[in-house]
Amino acid sequence: MGTAASCSAGRAGSALSVDAARLRAVAVATPVAGAETLHLDEAAGRVLAAPVLAVSALPPFDNSAMDGYAIRLSDLTGDGPWHLPVSARIAAGDGRRLILPQGSAARIFTGAPIPLEADAVVIQEQVSRVGDSVTLTQRPRAGQNIRRQGEDMAHGAPALDAGVALSPPRLALLAGCGVAEVAVRPKVRVAILSTGNELAEPGRALGPGQIYNSNRVLLRATLAGLSWVALSDLGILPDDPACIRAAIRDAARGHDVVISSGGVSAGEEDHILDALRAEAAELDVLKVAIRPGKPLTVGRLGAALYVGLPGNPYAAAITFSQIAQPALRRVAGLLEEPDNWLPAIAGFRYRRSTGRREYVPVVWTERDPMGRPILDRLGPGASAALSPMARAMGIAVIPPDVDAVHPGMPLPVMLLCP
């Protein structure tokens, strides 16, 4: 499976690339089993557990795409103009089964059923009407302005595949196909915890040597925005090996995923790895060639996926988004990967040491002639910095082998949503 838990981040051994670490993290993640049935109104954001077939064709009958007049093309003989009497008026919701009389037109409105024998709809702006007669000067093509039964989705056709999240447009599609309920995967039970005597919660007075626990707020806000997560916040654990061991053991027994921040490096007060070793955890990622980050733990603790993030806030945010979150999506059963990357160019200079892929917070106010954002770097990129991350519009990526960034250099940027 993976590296034995007796290994420790920060000790001897080469670091994994970000891509290799991500693949290992995803590989060790196991999708939650089972399913529950929900009404569409309760299923927003949830992950489909099984394919969904259309109960009804979409649209369910031939209908008009515009306000206008339904006609038979065979009635338009010669070169025109053509004069047709108006024989009927058909509005949306009209349940009559009408046949268009030969040599006539039917006044029809958007969404109304097409009368039998009609094979085109001429929009009202292209005809002139005097009394009960209309005049056409242009011959429409067959099927013009008609939405055919099932052209969007045929009856019984696959509407959505398993493993997709139910976004509002997807829920609307299912509703349009007559689907009322869906089978979704259970929510992923995620426990988060922080370790360190130096941590205090916002709103409390800081003791000597203490800092406020920003990682808990970051993780909680990120995970709370995922409809497929059921979140438990276990708070701050003191730097006590026995306490940490008991807490992670209990968390793993009642959750699908356990995420900790801090305590994964090689210091004498970093007790997470020792606790995992004592609990016979199987670890798969220990060191990653990423800046900020590097000390990171991913593996299994019993039946649960375990993710140990760095304690520094920016490092925790980057390693979570790049490595932990893809594994978390795998646990949820999601088969789609979001793509929020844009091509951009640097508008700054930056010299750096090589060997690690670096994630840099950036903003932009201008674009080049190709429409690419021209990036400005925020802050020094320190792993503990919070303000650059808060101000950033995106995160630019510098490849491991690049030692200098200069204006005009192409860089991919990951968009950050407000």
Side-chain angles (χ1 to χ4, degrees):
M1 132 97 190
T3 309
S6 57
C7 295
S8 295
R11 296 180 185 168
S14 60
L16 292 168
S17 71
V18 176
D19 295 333
R22 183 186 299 117
L23 288 173
R24 289 197 186 187
V26 171
V28 79
T30 302
V32 290
E36 59 178 315
T37 300
L38 296 179
H39 191 273
L40 292 188
D41 292 339
E42 303 170 311
R46 299 294 294 274
V47 181
L48 273 180
V52 182
L53 305 182
V55 175
S56 169
L58 181 64
F61 51 86
D62 293 354
N63 68 89
S64 179
M66 304 289 285
D67 292 344
Y69 293 85
I71 64 167
R72 298 171 186 252
L73 292 177
S74 61
D75 291 334
L76 305 183
T77 58
D79 294 330
W82 302 275
H83 307 283
L84 300 171
V86 178
S87 61
R89 184 180 187 276
I90 312 171
D94 194 321
R96 296 174 295 170
R97 185 174 175 82
L98 298 177
I99 300 176
L100 181 66
Q102 190 170 1
S104 71
R107 176 65 167 137
I108 196 166
F109 297 90
T110 302
I114 299 294
L116 298 176
E117 307 299 334
D119 49 15
V121 171
V122 182
I123 62 174
Q124 59 191 17
E125 292 85 358
Q126 294 179 348
V127 304
S128 59
R129 179 168 179 171
V130 178
D132 291 331
S133 178
V134 292
T135 300
L136 293 72
T137 59
Q138 299 179 19
R139 184 188 300 272
R141 69 180 184 277
Q144 184 169 310
N145 297 318
I146 294 177
R147 296 185 290 221
R148 294 297 184 187
Q149 179 183 23
E151 71 174 29
D152 195 356
M153 186 69 60
H155 174 262
L160 291 175
D161 294 327
V164 302
L166 289 168
S167 63
R170 287 170 174 170
L171 289 169
L173 169 64
L174 296 182
C177 293
V179 176
E181 296 181 332
V182 287
V184 299
R185 287 190 181 267
K187 288 189 176 185
V188 178
R189 301 168 300 167
V190 179
I192 60 172
L193 58 93
S194 304
T195 66
N197 293 334
E198 76 279 12
L199 297 179
E201 295 295 358
R204 298 183 181 180
L206 289 175
Q210 285 194 311
I211 60 173
Y212 287 118
N213 185 10
S214 58
N215 283 356
R216 169 192 167 275
V217 175
L218 172 74
L219 290 173
R220 186 180 181 95
T222 301
L223 294 166
L226 302 175
S227 301
W228 40 267
V229 165
L231 182 62
S232 300
D233 186 349
L234 305 185
I236 301 172
L237 303 182
D239 286 323
D240 176 86
C243 176
I244 292 174
R245 180 181 176 184
I248 64 173
R249 179 179 62 241
D250 292 344
R253 288 173 177 171
H255 297 85
D256 305 301
V257 180
V258 180
I259 303 175
S260 65
S261 64
V264 294
S265 191
E268 293 181 3
E269 294 301 321
D270 295 319
H271 302 298
I272 288 289
L273 288 172
D274 289 336
L276 291 168
R277 180 178 63 245
E279 290 298 317
E282 297 178 330
L283 305 183
D284 209 75
V285 176
L286 292 177
K287 292 192 301 183
V288 184
I290 186 172
R291 182 184 292 126
K294 194 171 183 178
L296 173 74
T297 301
V298 178
R300 299 205 68 81
L301 179 56
L305 174 70
Y306 189 92
V307 179
L309 300 175
N312 284 321
Y314 186 47
I318 292 300
T319 52
F320 177 81
S321 69
Q322 299 305 303
I323 299 171
Q325 193 158 1
L328 192 62
R329 291 175 62 85
R330 173 63 176 159
V331 177
L334 283 162
L335 300 181
E336 298 175 303
E337 281 297 326
D339 184 0
N340 55 348
W341 292 92
L342 281 181
I345 62 170
F348 60 92
R349 297 184 184 275
Y350 174 41
R351 295 200 64 85
R352 61 186 291 274
S353 57
T354 59
R356 289 196 280 172
R357 184 184 295 177
E358 185 166 357
Y359 293 79
V360 178
V362 292
V363 294
W364 58 90
T365 56
E366 297 179 283
R367 293 176 180 261
D368 73 355
M370 297 175 61
R372 297 175 298 181
I374 302 173
L375 307 178
D376 291 324
R377 178 173 172 240
L378 292 172
S383 61
L386 283 169
S387 60
M389 179 171 57
R391 294 164 50 206
M393 297 167 63
I395 304 295
V397 179
I398 304 173
D401 57 347
V402 171
D403 63 358
V405 177
H406 54 79
M409 177 182 287
L411 290 176
V413 62
M414 179 179 68
L415 293 177
L416 296 178
C417 297

